[in-house]
Amino acid sequence: MEYYNDKIAKNPKVELVHYTLDSSKDGLEKFMTTHSAPWPAIDFRSLERVKTISQYRPNAIPNYLLIDAEGNKIAEGMGAVKSKIE
Protein backbone atom coordinates (compact mmCIF):
# COMPACT_ATOMS: atom_id res chain seq x y z
CA MET A 1 0.00 0.00 0.00
CA GLU A 2 2.81 2.40 0.89
CA TYR A 3 4.53 1.83 -2.46
CA TYR A 4 1.27 2.44 -4.30
CA ASN A 5 0.59 5.65 -2.40
CA ASP A 6 4.15 6.96 -2.79
CA LYS A 7 5.05 5.91 -6.32
CA ILE A 8 1.94 5.06 -8.31
CA ALA A 9 -0.95 7.17 -7.03
CA LYS A 10 1.12 10.34 -7.44
CA ASN A 11 2.35 9.41 -10.93
CA PRO A 12 -0.10 10.46 -13.68
CA LYS A 13 1.62 8.16 -16.19
CA VAL A 14 0.88 4.83 -14.46
CA GLU A 15 -1.91 2.99 -12.66
CA LEU A 16 -1.92 -0.31 -10.84
CA VAL A 17 -4.71 -2.69 -11.85
CA HIS A 18 -5.38 -5.77 -9.75
CA TYR A 19 -6.22 -8.81 -11.88
CA THR A 20 -7.81 -11.38 -9.62
CA LEU A 21 -7.84 -15.13 -9.94
CA ASP A 22 -10.55 -15.40 -7.28
CA SER A 23 -13.34 -17.69 -8.40
CA SER A 24 -16.08 -15.39 -7.18
CA LYS A 25 -16.95 -11.73 -7.08
CA ASP A 26 -17.20 -12.04 -3.29
CA GLY A 27 -13.56 -13.19 -3.12
CA LEU A 28 -12.43 -10.17 -5.10
CA GLU A 29 -14.49 -7.79 -2.99
CA LYS A 30 -13.16 -9.35 0.22
CA PHE A 31 -9.56 -8.94 -0.94
CA MET A 32 -10.08 -5.34 -2.01
CA THR A 33 -11.86 -4.48 1.26
CA THR A 34 -9.39 -6.31 3.51
CA HIS A 35 -6.45 -4.51 1.91
CA SER A 36 -8.25 -1.15 1.56
CA ALA A 37 -7.17 -1.24 -2.07
CA PRO A 38 -7.74 2.11 -3.80
CA TRP A 39 -6.74 0.81 -7.24
CA PRO A 40 -9.05 -0.70 -9.87
CA ALA A 41 -9.50 -4.46 -10.13
CA ILE A 42 -10.48 -6.79 -12.94
CA ASP A 43 -12.37 -10.01 -12.31
CA PHE A 44 -10.73 -12.89 -14.21
CA ARG A 45 -14.02 -13.63 -15.97
CA SER A 46 -13.98 -10.10 -17.41
CA LEU A 47 -10.38 -10.17 -18.63
CA GLU A 48 -11.27 -11.07 -22.22
CA ARG A 49 -13.18 -7.79 -22.50
CA VAL A 50 -10.09 -5.80 -21.53
CA LYS A 51 -8.20 -6.15 -24.81
CA THR A 52 -5.19 -4.16 -23.62
CA ILE A 53 -4.15 -6.80 -21.09
CA SER A 54 -6.02 -9.96 -22.07
CA GLN A 55 -2.91 -11.33 -23.81
CA TYR A 56 -0.92 -11.24 -20.55
CA ARG A 57 -2.43 -13.95 -18.39
CA PRO A 58 -0.36 -14.37 -15.21
CA ASN A 59 1.56 -17.61 -14.81
CA ALA A 60 2.52 -16.94 -11.21
CA ILE A 61 1.02 -15.17 -8.23
CA PRO A 62 1.78 -12.42 -7.70
CA ASN A 63 2.70 -11.25 -11.16
CA TYR A 64 3.82 -7.71 -11.88
CA LEU A 65 3.42 -6.39 -15.40
CA LEU A 66 3.85 -2.86 -16.73
CA ILE A 67 2.21 -2.11 -20.06
CA ASP A 68 1.69 1.08 -21.98
CA ALA A 69 -1.65 2.52 -23.08
CA GLU A 70 -1.51 0.53 -26.31
CA GLY A 71 -0.98 -2.76 -24.47
CA ASN A 72 2.73 -3.21 -25.17
CA LYS A 73 4.70 -4.90 -22.40
CA ILE A 74 7.29 -2.56 -20.88
CA ALA A 75 8.46 -4.67 -17.91
CA GLU A 76 7.55 -7.83 -16.04
CA GLY A 77 8.47 -8.88 -12.51
CA MET A 78 8.41 -6.78 -9.36
CA GLY A 79 11.96 -5.44 -9.64
CA ALA A 80 11.72 -4.59 -13.33
CA VAL A 81 8.34 -2.91 -12.95
CA LYS A 82 9.40 -0.85 -9.93
CA SER A 83 12.57 0.21 -11.72
CA LYS A 84 10.60 1.48 -14.73
CA ILE A 85 8.03 3.28 -12.58
CA GLU A 86 10.71 5.09 -10.61
Side-chain angles (χ1 to χ4, degrees):
M1 184 66 70
E2 184 176 326
Y3 184 83
Y4 177 82
N5 289 332
D6 290 345
K7 302 293 183 180
I8 296 174
K10 295 176 184 177
N11 186 337
K13 295 182 179 183
V14 297
E15 178 59 276
L16 179 146
V17 177
H18 176 82
Y19 166 67
T20 183
L21 295 176
D22 288 316
S23 58
S24 71
K25 184 177 178 182
D26 291 339
L28 170 59
E29 289 176 0
K30 182 178 179 181
F31 173 86
M32 298 298 284
T33 301
T34 300
H35 296 284
S36 301
W39 50 78
I42 299 173
D43 186 314
F44 78 100
R45 293 169 297 215
S46 303
L47 185 63
E48 292 304 320
R49 292 183 290 181
V50 185
K51 303 287 187 228
T52 310
I53 62 171
S54 63
Q55 62 187 313
Y56 302 115
R57 291 193 176 269
N59 56 8
I61 300 171
N63 185 46
Y64 298 85
L65 177 66
L66 183 64
I67 60 173
D68 65 17
E70 288 77 39
N72 301 306
K73 182 166 52 172
I74 297 171
E76 187 167 7
M78 183 189 296
V81 167
K82 284 184 173 182
S83 176
K84 288 288 186 178
I85 289 172
E86 292 177 13

